Amino acid sequence: MTQQGVRWTADQVLALAPDAASRSAGGRLGAAGPWSGTGTVEGAVWGLCKDSGGEPYRTVVDVADASAPAFACSCPSRTAPCGHVLGLLLLWSGGEVPAAPDPAPDWVGEWRAGSAVREGTVEGAGSAPGPAAPEAARRRAERRAARITAGATELEQRLADLLRAGLATAEQQRYGLWEETAARMVDAQAPGLAARVRELGAIPASGPGWPVRLLEECALLHLLDQGWLRRERLPDGLAATVRSRIGLPAPADGPPVRDHWLVLAQYDAPDPRLTTRRIWLYGTATHRTALLLSYGAAGRAPDLSLPVGLALDAEVSAYPGAGRLRGALGEQFAPPGPASARPPGVTTRQAVVRYGEALREDPWLDAVPVTLGRVVPVPDGDSWQLADADEDTALPLAPAARSRPGLWRLVALSGGAPVTVFGECGHQGFTPLTAWPQGEGEAVPLH
């Protein structure tokens, strides 16, 4: 069992159902207000959530296995895991659930005993966990995989029906069509599919050319479905990418790599109910680029924060998947300190080639991290682009980057001279995140 005091990260909690991570009583996921009687001991976490006029809902989670946790809640939700389970786990991951000095309440003990008997982990009620616990986790994982397969099969049929009836039906039905389908994917415990399905609902209202964009996104969704249904035939790296895109949690399994990691960029992707922080690192010795993700729920800022331009002596482990860009920050041997190092730059032509090569390993990739060397921001009609100072090529800026104040900081930093720019290069263009002036100078955040 997980020992008392060892908690999952918020990443592991949200990976269970990231599309549902914002659901709980009154939209206050992770807030202490509706919760009472919380506690944790010997691998169990429990609490009471009173978000209705009646008795509080009883929620309990066995946290021995982060990849396939057992849980129960007395609420009437049909979603598994429900918002109460996710909210309780986020409280626990943030250290807000106290260690219980006394044995767990009777209702927690009864559930754990009953759950263990059903899963075959004990010989009788009240017995200690036996060696069959890994087998129980395997069975839970198999059941979840079967639910995802059923959901992917149903989604394939719905996509076929849409194409058979014509894309015009999507404009007529708008969000209703996709919300219902997304709810079915949530029930199938495929949060990655649910999130992509919900994004389809906004495309018919996105302006001229929406049928082409809708068809493209439907094709990518179909490809993800087929990848899951045929995952046994895929190379290991691509199969891991498919599982990640579907929404299955996985631990960072790469060997820890110690380096002096330069903090290239840090920015938040805010949402009314969830904030995702992205931090890009560059290993000055290994020349590897790594992405750290951190989450904050219910209006809270993510815990992890690293100042741009500094470097830290630390270990980073890679998550599975094609490219293995995402990493987990391990032991830090010294606090972040000043650094004069910069990542080597490439041309705009090489940046496009790099994105194309990455798509072969991960067709659902929106962008790749790229450092452009010796580029100049220049206007291009109503838009802007980064032009190579030494070649007759340029990269357009992504639409979202054109309206941010960082664009004008970049223009001012350049003053018509070449600069070094780190950012994300994707199908919508280039998003500048950090820039360095020609010659000596500190990093300038642009996001």
Side-chain angles (χ1 to χ4, degrees), residues 113-131:
S115 175
V117 170
R118 288 191 298 274
E119 298 292 354
T121 60
V122 296
E123 297 180 357
S127 302

Side-chain angles (χ1 to χ4, degrees), residues 119-397:
E119 298 292 354
T121 60
V122 296
E123 297 180 357
S127 302
E135 177 66 17
R138 184 188 64 81
R139 292 178 182 175
R140 289 196 295 270
E142 288 180 348
R143 287 198 296 271
R144 181 173 185 181
R147 286 192 290 268
I148 294 174
T149 297
T153 303
E154 179 180 345
L155 181 56
E156 283 291 278
Q157 184 59 52
R158 296 201 176 199
L159 290 174
D161 292 343
L162 172 65
L163 295 179
R164 189 178 299 110
L167 296 180
T169 58
E171 185 178 30
Q172 296 167 2
Q173 299 187 38
R174 293 294 179 94
Y175 286 100
L177 169 67
W178 305 113
E179 281 298 324
E180 178 191 355
T181 305
R184 296 289 296 161
M185 296 306 103
V186 171
D187 290 342
Q189 289 190 278
L193 291 179
R196 298 188 76 91
V197 166
R198 285 201 175 97
E199 291 174 358
L200 298 180
I203 295 179
S206 62
W210 69 263
V212 174
R213 293 190 293 275
L214 180 60
L215 188 59
E216 290 173 347
E217 293 301 322
C218 285
L220 286 173
L221 190 54
H222 165 71
L223 185 63
L224 184 56
D225 271 344
Q226 291 299 314
W228 171 262
L229 296 174
R230 293 169 171 79
R231 59 193 181 279
E232 295 85 1
R233 309 179 195 176
L234 301 179
D236 291 343
L238 184 55
T241 297
V242 168
R243 288 193 293 270
S244 175
R245 295 292 182 181
I246 288 288
L248 288 176
D253 62 355
V257 177
R258 182 175 179 178
D259 203 340
H260 283 82
W261 297 93
L262 177 65
V263 183
L264 294 179
Q266 173 179 291
Y267 67 94
D268 294 345
D271 182 89
R273 299 163 298 185
L274 180 69
T275 298
T276 302
R277 175 166 293 167
R278 298 168 64 89
I279 302 176
W280 285 108
L281 304 178
Y282 173 75
T284 56
T286 58
H287 306 293
R288 290 180 53 180
T289 303
L291 172 65
L292 306 181
L293 295 181
S294 183
Y295 301 96
R300 301 179 182 180
D303 293 333
L304 185 61
S305 180
L306 298 174
V308 174
L310 300 187
L312 66 156
D313 182 6
E315 291 181 339
V316 173
S317 300
Y319 280 86
R324 302 180 71 89
L325 281 177
R326 187 184 173 194
L329 185 62
E331 183 177 358
Q332 301 183 48
F333 302 95
S340 58
R342 298 181 183 181
V346 300
T347 66
T348 56
R349 189 192 308 273
Q350 291 170 325
V352 173
V353 171
R354 183 173 296 181
Y355 179 53
E357 291 174 344
L359 285 177
R360 288 197 305 230
E361 296 183 335
D362 184 354
W364 307 277
L365 192 63
D366 290 328
V368 294
V370 173
T371 301
L372 300 176
R374 292 183 55 77
V375 291
V376 181
V378 295
D380 178 27
D382 295 334
S383 183
W384 285 79
Q385 60 184 4
L386 295 176
D388 263 303
D390 304 316
E391 295 185 9
D392 188 22
T393 58
L395 267 178
L397 293 189

